[in-house]
Amino acid sequence: MNDLGAKNKVRRDDYYYRLKQEIEEFLYDEAELLDQRNFREWLDILSDDLIYFMPIRRNVKFGTHNEKENTREGYDISWFEEDKWTLSKRIDQIYTGKHWAEEPLSRVSRMITNIQLQNVKPTMQEPCEVGIKSRFLIYQNRSETECNSFYGKRSDILRLESGVWKLIRREIILDQNILMAKNLSIFF
Amino acid sequence: MAENDNYSGMVDGINGLIDRQIFSNEKIYSIELEKVFTRSWLLVGHETQIPSNGDFITSRMGAESVILCRDSNGKIHVFLNTCTHRGMKVCLYDEGNTATFTCPFHAWSFATDGKLVGVPHEKELYSKSLNKEKWSLIEVSQMFNYKGSIWATWDKSAPNFIEYLGGAKAHLDFALDSLDGSEGGTEVFGGVHKWISPCNWKVPAENFCGDSYHNVSHISVDMVGIGPSAGSGEKGRRDNELADAQHLWISFPGGHGIHSAMKPANNEYIEAYKDNPIVEEYYRHCYQERELKLGERARIVPFVGTIFPNTSFHGRQPRALCSWHPNGPQSSQISRFFLVDKVAPKEVKDLVRRYYMRYAGPAGMTEQDDMENWNQATASCSGAIARRFPFNYQQSMGDYKINDPVPGMVSTQMTEENARQFYKCWASYMESQDWKKIMSHPAQTALGNDT
């Protein structure tokens, strides 16, 4: 167990690593579903009460980052503040074959790294809910030569529902101020 | 063609032909920055973004960064965000509160009213030469607070903002007034969409000035249904509040193009926002209040519009003001803020906020498809062969009336007249015409009636 781990108050013992491996597999499977464009299967791993949130990020004075850097869930206009219903609408839109921002479909590869567990409830031995921090690097190529790279951080919460992990919360921190891509037409 | 400066020739409204080079040519773009964006009135922000003394946001006019701030006495200013000494940005933040703007480079320091108040080693180095009064932050020539929205121009001789708006004012009001018809009373949600889109700025400006013909490009979102009653099973990207209305495409002096609609004489309320009964009740109540307040005028209901050159608005679903900032011949930097009645209940604010997010901007299901079209349409304009072939703007040529049934140059069928007038006005700026010529327009008498 290292010092950083101690600060995060999660004991890095065998149970931690065993659970981490399971969670990593979940996240890689999820990325695979999206990269392979199995969007409707992806919906199945989302809990019915999912919150999917991506704030807009501002340049603010040192010392005011905590309160001012990101737009607020529940109050402000953000890039995304979605639930499972709106995400399913986004997927239905792709399936019309007339959603020109994703027709023809983008080529997308998602790399998920720096996975660390946090706030495992109730216990590491018998977890029902897991908080996860990770980083993403997403490469999008569409049409002929259009490329976008999205780098950032994710904070996820997974919950065990009828013995299956489901995503109940995803906060996506995209490391951009003025969005440099013309669209956010992919899932994060 | 760009070499002969015959801009009127490039935008041939008589034959309905527009030269593609105006969307791609580097020289034309740089001349636009000089001749269009230094003279016309540009949207900067909204007073509710800077409620307290010392509050500021940074924004943009043309291709340049500006600061919108409220000084220590509460007066609103718009400054170019550049130090008068060596040009560094004096404000590095999107928003905040400050007593001074201090340049990071050599630390010249400016008060929130723009005055130069601090020069390091002033006595030793500058006592013989510097008159600080003359080196304030560069301030716009005219600024106007219109129902909370802040507009500015670099041209002292430009008509005042109300005159510049002319008849378009009545339509911009729909976005800025409260839904119940009382004057003003709107506020901006926190969080400004800012993004870069690879399109010429005129493409989206034209899109919002009355291009209803592109409706078909949004078929995917209409099929799935994302409006404020979508949860109750309504299809479409918005509730069809205009179902029984006569759509109106109206061009005004100054190049402004509006798409509004007129309800039948009985002006019946069409149920909308059905996903939440409190929200539905609020809209119904406001609709009835508005009719009591405005009478016959309440029959005119909003859709979209563009205030020349690069400010567009959605009057209602989703209610917002947007600037298409020039960012190169084939790039726009876009910023948009969203409006809501200050007094609206929390349920209303929450529902419309979420609706705005799923509808508009780069993450919005509707506008994503626009972005793709604006991108590729712009890209085509640089082709050596493609640019020899003008775009077709011949829709509904001649099918308009003056001041009938509302003020302006009005068409009751889908038309590209608003676009033809937009580009005619653009050419007047590009050819350095005087304001009289810029404001000349078939509906000029309407302007006279309205101001």
Side-chain angles (χ1 to χ4, degrees):
Chain A
M1 193 169 122
N2 63 32
D3 289 335
L4 276 171
K7 271 182 202 157
N8 287 341
K9 293 178 183 166
V10 178
R11 209 176 128 81
R12 302 216 168 155
D13 55 14
D14 285 352
Y15 290 107
Y16 174 93
Y17 291 108
R18 210 172 298 158
L19 180 60
K20 180 169 173 255
Q21 208 158 31
E22 188 181 337
I23 298 299
E24 281 177 355
E25 285 302 313
F26 175 93
L27 296 176
Y28 299 152
D29 286 345
E30 184 201 2
E32 184 68 10
L33 282 178
L34 287 171
D35 287 356
Q36 298 301 337
R37 301 145 170 173
N38 294 321
F39 302 117
R40 291 202 160 129
E41 287 88 334
W42 179 64
L43 270 184
D44 292 339
I45 67 163
L46 310 180
S47 174
D48 290 340
D49 56 355
L50 170 76
I51 293 168
Y52 180 95
F53 175 62
M54 183 196 282
I56 297 170
R57 307 188 70 197
R58 308 181 182 101
N59 293 305
V60 295
K61 195 174 168 58
F62 184 84
T64 62
H65 285 84
N66 285 346
E67 64 184 291
K68 289 262 177 99
E69 184 176 22
N70 296 340
T71 52
R72 298 164 303 169
E73 186 181 337
Y75 295 95
D76 296 331
I77 295 286
S78 294
W79 290 128
F80 291 106
E81 188 175 324
E82 306 273 306
D83 52 24
K84 189 172 179 176
W85 177 76
T86 54
L87 291 176
S88 73
K89 289 284 178 186
R90 289 176 186 275
I91 290 165
D92 290 346
Q93 189 185 16
I94 292 171
Y95 274 75
T96 64
K98 295 179 187 303
H99 175 27
W100 308 116
E102 277 299 324
E103 181 60 35
L105 283 169
S106 297
R107 291 163 284 273
V108 183
S109 284
R110 294 164 177 80
M111 276 144 283
I112 308 298
T113 72
N114 302 33
I115 296 164
Q116 292 185 313
L117 307 187
Q118 300 186 316
N119 305 323
V120 179
K121 295 178 190 169
T123 66
M124 197 66 81
Q125 288 86 341
E126 287 185 54
C128 291
E129 204 176 290
V130 186
I132 310 146
K133 289 246 181 217
S134 63
R135 298 287 182 276
F136 61 82
L137 161 55
I138 302 178
Y139 172 79
Q140 177 195 24
N141 174 274
R142 65 169 285 94
S143 191
E144 293 172 330
T145 57
E146 184 184 336
C147 289
N148 293 300
S149 293
F150 301 101
Y151 298 79
K153 302 149 184 92
R154 285 198 322 206
S155 296
D156 295 336
I157 300 176
L158 296 186
R159 185 169 58 203
L160 213 48
E161 292 179 5
S162 309
V164 182
W165 290 111
K166 297 262 177 154
L167 185 67
I168 63 170
R169 182 179 170 81
R170 171 158 292 164
E171 182 171 330
I172 306 140
I173 302 293
L174 181 64
D175 287 333
Q176 293 188 21
N177 171 241
I178 293 172
L179 183 72
M180 293 161 77
K182 74 177 194 290
N183 276 331
L184 294 169
S185 58
I186 60 165
F187 300 104
F188 287 83
Chain B
M1 208 171 195
E3 307 310 317
N4 66 13
D5 297 343
N6 176 16
Y7 299 104
S8 300
M10 292 180 202
V11 294
D12 174 2
I14 306 294
N15 296 300
L17 302 173
I18 307 275
D19 191 320
R20 292 188 192 214
Q21 289 193 78
I22 72 165
F23 304 107
S24 61
N25 182 283
E26 189 81 44
K27 183 184 159 202
I28 293 176
Y29 169 76
S30 61
I31 292 170
E32 283 177 334
L33 296 183
E34 285 287 342
K35 302 207 170 180
V36 179
F37 288 92
T38 63
R39 296 184 71 193
S40 49
W41 280 90
L42 307 173
L43 176 71
V44 180
H46 195 275
E47 65 176 0
T48 60
Q49 294 174 302
I50 48 165
S52 307
N53 294 355
D55 281 354
F56 65 84
I57 62 162
T58 47
S59 180
R60 190 159 151 144
M61 290 174 68
E64 293 170 90
S65 175
V66 296
I67 303 168
L68 168 63
C69 77
R70 194 183 287 272
D71 72 19
S72 51
N73 293 313
K75 187 165 179 262
I76 293 174
H77 300 265
V78 179
F79 303 114
L80 204 60
N81 186 9
T82 180
C83 182
T84 50
H85 173 235
R86 222 35 118 247
M88 171 67 187
K89 279 185 178 178
V90 296
C91 182
L92 305 175
Y93 309 116
D94 290 307
E95 60 177 62
N97 182 282
T98 192
T100 56
F101 296 104
T102 300
C103 178
F105 199 175
H106 304 91
W108 279 26
S109 182
F110 303 86
T112 48
D113 63 359
K115 291 206 171 69
L116 177 59
V117 291
V119 174
H121 311 293
E122 185 184 353
K123 276 187 187 146
E124 306 95 289
L125 305 177
Y126 286 102
S127 58
K128 293 177 193 143
S129 52
L130 179 68
N131 177 355
K132 282 200 293 189
E133 295 285 315
K134 289 189 173 171
W135 294 90
S136 303
L137 288 175
I138 298 158
E139 186 158 11
V140 292
S141 299
Q142 298 187 59
M143 191 214 70
F144 197 78
N145 180 344
Y146 186 62
K147 297 183 174 179
S149 60
I150 309 293
W151 303 71
T153 173
W154 298 107
D155 186 354
K156 281 191 189 70
S157 69
N160 70 52
F161 183 67
I162 297 299
E163 202 183 317
Y164 180 86
L165 268 184
K169 173 176 163 299
H171 301 268
L172 178 62
D173 280 346
F174 296 139
L176 297 172
D177 286 343
S178 302
L179 291 173
D180 71 359
S182 26
E183 288 231 346
T186 42
E187 65 180 9
V188 173
F189 280 111
V192 178
H193 275 177
K194 294 183 185 177
W195 77 104
I196 293 190
S197 187
C199 62
N200 183 276
W201 66 270
K202 294 186 288 305
V203 175
E206 177 200 316
N207 191 101
F208 273 75
C209 89
D211 173 13
S212 316
Y213 199 49
H214 86 280
N215 204 25
V216 65
S217 69
H218 296 302
I219 188 171
S220 67
V221 85
D222 285 341
M223 285 163 76
V224 303
I226 62 157
S229 303
S232 314
E234 293 270 326
K235 293 294 176 202
R237 60 190 184 274
R238 55 173 67 87
D239 290 336
N240 198 0
E241 296 173 291
L242 308 182
D244 60 355
Q246 166 66 58
H247 286 244
L248 302 169
W249 291 264
I250 317 165
S251 173
F252 289 103
H256 320 311
I258 303 292
H259 176 184
S260 288
M262 186 163 68
K263 296 274 288 176
N266 62 2
N267 195 11
E268 265 178 42
Y269 175 69
I270 293 179
E271 198 174 53
Y273 299 86
K274 292 182 229 169
D275 286 356
N276 182 314
I278 296 171
V279 181
E280 198 280 324
E281 173 53 32
Y282 181 74
Y283 277 80
R284 182 189 296 273
H285 168 78
C286 288
Y287 197 88
Q288 289 156 353
E289 280 293 306
R290 184 172 180 265
E291 196 173 7
L292 290 175
K293 278 200 184 80
L294 305 185
E296 183 70 5
R297 280 195 299 140
R299 285 175 60 195
I300 308 296
V301 285
F303 197 58
V304 295
T306 290
I307 304 303
F308 191 93
N310 69 329
T311 302
S312 297
F313 65 91
H314 250 296
R316 192 143 172 159
Q317 290 192 25
R319 201 162 158 206
L321 291 183
C322 188
S323 302
W324 322 100
H325 303 294
N327 195 45
Q330 304 214 302
S331 176
S332 300
Q333 186 182 308
I334 308 172
S335 58
R336 181 185 277 126
F337 55 76
F338 295 86
L339 293 158
V340 68
D341 287 359
K342 259 181 217 172
V343 299
K346 187 184 180 311
E347 289 82 356
V348 170
K349 290 184 179 176
D350 206 44
L351 184 138
V352 299
R353 187 177 58 83
R354 296 179 75 118
Y355 170 56
Y356 296 170
M357 282 188 279
R358 67 177 179 262
Y359 181 102
M365 283 182 256
T366 305
E367 213 162 44
Q368 286 183 354
D369 291 338
D370 285 320
M371 232 85 71
E372 195 70 26
N373 291 323
W374 300 341
N375 174 3
Q376 312 258 355
T378 297
S380 82
C381 298
S382 51
I385 298 298
R387 71 185 182 216
R388 295 179 192 170
F389 295 86
F391 283 149
N392 181 303
Y393 283 74
Q394 296 173 335
Q395 192 182 99
S396 300
M397 296 277 281
D399 288 314
Y400 61 82
K401 291 182 176 172
I402 301 297
N403 297 341
D404 178 17
V406 292
M409 182 184 193
V410 189
S411 179
T412 50
Q413 68 184 37
M414 221 179 263
T415 181
E416 286 168 349
E417 192 59 47
N418 289 6
R420 290 189 287 269
Q421 295 298 329
F422 176 94
Y423 290 113
K424 188 177 148 210
C425 188
W426 174 87
S428 295
Y429 279 93
M430 293 296 278
E431 291 169 353
S432 303
Q433 302 288 355
D434 60 20
W435 280 102
K436 194 172 165 222
K437 169 86 177 169
I438 286 173
M439 301 302 280
S440 73
H441 183 273
Q444 206 160 20
T445 49
L447 173 71
N449 293 341
D450 268 84
T451 52

